[in-house]
Amino acid sequence: MKLLSLLPLLPLAAAAPTNTLAARGLSVPSAVPEKVRVVGVSLLGSGCPAGTADVQIDATKTLLEVTFSEYIIQTGPGTKAADWRKNCKLTLNLEFDEGFSFSTLATDMQGFAQLPKGSRGLCTNTFDFTGIQGQSYYSLALPGPREGPFTLSANPDVVSWSPCGGTTAIMNMNTQCNISPTREQALIAVDRISGKITVNVSLDWRKC
């Protein structure tokens, strides 16, 4: 079976991103912090073993990219329960200029799936901020039959903002993918071309 690929978050380059907010029909924040940087990352889960994920912020401070290189879900003969479902909980500590707050505006997933007729892949993501009630949630369904790349975009059902009054905020993201039924041979995994699963998260900024 070929390797499949799913992109939950992508690394951001210093150059302007190809997938800008304006190009996607989303409003560009009127003001963004001059400085935004990742000061702490914690990863836990079967989809993100140590050393297999990367997090970056692009030059516009409006795109967050997290890349996973060993996020593989597969079913069928020879697989076990641990292969049918994978997850990764990412805790991200961002530091930025005082007087700003941010939220997750939209999320893109790109990748590759190989699913026979009767199989169904499902990926879900939730976002929240430590100390703030409310979650941003989206789910991505991948029904079979299909074999090839895919691009799925989602806007959060619930928008929550990082707390005001500080220069740091902790964002939690929990991503999970599974395939059912488990008896059929199917795969959602690392792209054999890019070798990564990536999710792009657009950030919306506002002044407090």
Side-chain angles (χ1 to χ4, degrees), residues 5-109:
S5 85
L6 169 63
L7 284 137
L9 291 142
L10 56 109
L12 309 177
T18 57
N19 186 17
T20 64
L21 297 182
R24 297 181 52 204
L26 299 171
S27 60
V28 178
S30 58
V32 298
E34 291 186 8
K35 297 179 181 178
V36 180
R37 68 189 186 99
V38 177
V39 294
V41 178
S42 174
L43 295 162
L44 180 64
S46 56
C48 52
T52 65
D54 181 55
V55 181
Q56 294 187 33
I57 301 289
D58 82 332
T60 69
K61 287 88 170 179
T62 61
L63 186 62
L64 170 68
E65 182 178 272
V66 181
T67 304
F68 302 96
S69 60
E70 292 189 19
Y71 206 118
I72 302 171
I73 302 92
Q74 54 187 330
T75 58
T79 63
K80 50 187 182 297
D83 301 319
W84 307 336
R85 172 188 174 277
K86 293 294 176 70
N87 81 294
C88 181
K89 182 177 181 181
L90 180 146
T91 300
L92 182 67
N93 192 344
L94 290 181
E95 183 177 73
F96 45 87
D97 297 337
E98 187 174 1
F100 282 90
S101 178
F102 72 94
S103 70
T104 56
L105 183 63
T107 303
D108 286 341
M109 296 184 77

Side-chain angles (χ1 to χ4, degrees), residues 40-187:
V41 178
S42 174
L43 295 162
L44 180 64
S46 56
C48 52
T52 65
D54 181 55
V55 181
Q56 294 187 33
I57 301 289
D58 82 332
T60 69
K61 287 88 170 179
T62 61
L63 186 62
L64 170 68
E65 182 178 272
V66 181
T67 304
F68 302 96
S69 60
E70 292 189 19
Y71 206 118
I72 302 171
I73 302 92
Q74 54 187 330
T75 58
T79 63
K80 50 187 182 297
D83 301 319
W84 307 336
R85 172 188 174 277
K86 293 294 176 70
N87 81 294
C88 181
K89 182 177 181 181
L90 180 146
T91 300
L92 182 67
N93 192 344
L94 290 181
E95 183 177 73
F96 45 87
D97 297 337
E98 187 174 1
F100 282 90
S101 178
F102 72 94
S103 70
T104 56
L105 183 63
T107 303
D108 286 341
M109 296 184 77
Q110 303 172 18
F112 187 93
Q114 190 174 41
L115 302 164
K117 182 178 180 179
S119 287
R120 182 175 185 270
L122 177 66
C123 294
T124 62
N125 269 308
T126 58
F127 294 88
D128 64 71
F129 294 98
T130 298
I132 296 292
Q133 292 185 342
Q135 285 187 331
S136 299
Y137 169 87
Y138 73 87
S139 63
L140 305 171
L142 297 169
R146 67 181 303 146
E147 179 176 356
F150 64 85
T151 300
L152 294 167
S153 301
N155 295 329
D157 294 332
V158 178
V159 175
S160 59
W161 291 85
S162 65
C164 285
T167 58
T168 62
I170 298 176
M171 185 179 77
N172 306 297
M173 183 194 77
N174 191 12
T175 179
Q176 172 183 303
C177 293
N178 66 74
I179 300 173
S180 62
T182 59
R183 64 180 180 275
E184 301 291 341
Q185 189 176 37
L187 179 70

